[in-house]
Amino acid sequence: MTCPEELDPTRLLTPRAREVLAAARAVLERQGWEALTMRTLADELDIAAPSLYKHFASKEALRGQLAALALKEFGEAVRPVTTVAALVRRYRDVATAHPQLYRLSTSGPLDRAALPPGLEDWSGSPFLEATGDPHRAQALWAAVHGMVVLELDGRFPTGAAPEATWRELVRHFS
């Protein structure tokens, strides 16, 4: 399901700012947040670094846009909600397909003022739809998030997230 237009973080960006955002995402996914500098981004776009500031005031402003974009894409990826199992599978798939974007948007402080009002709630609402209770929804998201991070970090003893553990998580919340 597509994100409502009024929540789309890119709707007010100029075409050039969207191009900068796409290039920033490409560098992020290839090299990680620490490697993404305004200089590396300018090199990616083959432009002078100072011209980036016409579109984004700072690297942190760019981070806010990337986090908002992630919330939009993750929210779209898990809809429509049919079952807890389908929600968890889709969430896991999109997070592991875009690990750097996932980490950027789900770890550390979130600049909520940089998000379109309502985007964070819209993005997380599938967890509420699946569980029917706001606290249970947060618990499910926290469990799924923790499992995704363990999987991304290779922290399960087998080196990969055991499917039996994912099934148990789903069973517990279904």
Side-chain angles (χ1 to χ4, degrees), residues 4-90:
E5 185 178 340
E6 68 273 12
L7 300 181
D8 184 345
T10 65
R11 80 182 193 289
L12 299 177
L13 296 179
T14 65
R16 184 64 167 157
R18 286 186 180 129
E19 185 180 339
V20 171
L21 187 63
R25 180 182 183 161
V27 173
L28 171 72
E29 288 293 0
R30 273 195 323 266
Q31 300 174 4
W33 178 249
E34 295 306 316
L36 178 59
T37 65
M38 295 307 243
R39 169 71 53 213
T40 59
L41 182 53
D43 290 346
E44 179 85 3
L45 291 162
D46 198 28
I47 62 173
S51 64
L52 290 171
Y53 294 98
K54 294 176 188 172
H55 308 289
F56 294 97
S58 66
K59 183 179 175 185
E60 284 308 307
L62 191 57
R63 179 188 179 109
Q65 281 292 315
L66 286 165
L69 184 63
L71 289 173
K72 173 189 179 282
E73 290 182 5
F74 292 166
E76 288 174 336
V78 297
R79 286 178 163 84
V81 175
T82 53
T83 64
V84 169
L87 171 66
V88 167
R89 175 84 254 160
R90 285 188 236 134

Side-chain angles (χ1 to χ4, degrees), residues 62-142:
L62 191 57
R63 179 188 179 109
Q65 281 292 315
L66 286 165
L69 184 63
L71 289 173
K72 173 189 179 282
E73 290 182 5
F74 292 166
E76 288 174 336
V78 297
R79 286 178 163 84
V81 175
T82 53
T83 64
V84 169
L87 171 66
V88 167
R89 175 84 254 160
R90 285 188 236 134
Y91 189 91
R92 179 185 178 196
D93 287 348
V94 73
T96 57
H98 305 287
Q100 297 295 341
L101 187 64
Y102 182 76
R103 288 179 190 283
L104 181 82
S105 64
T106 62
S107 63
L110 177 63
D111 181 6
R112 288 184 168 89
L115 301 176
L119 177 61
E120 184 180 16
D121 289 341
W122 176 83
S123 179
S125 66
F127 288 89
L128 180 58
E129 289 177 46
T131 63
D133 175 81
H135 301 293
R136 194 165 168 79
Q138 281 187 325
L140 174 58
W141 179 82

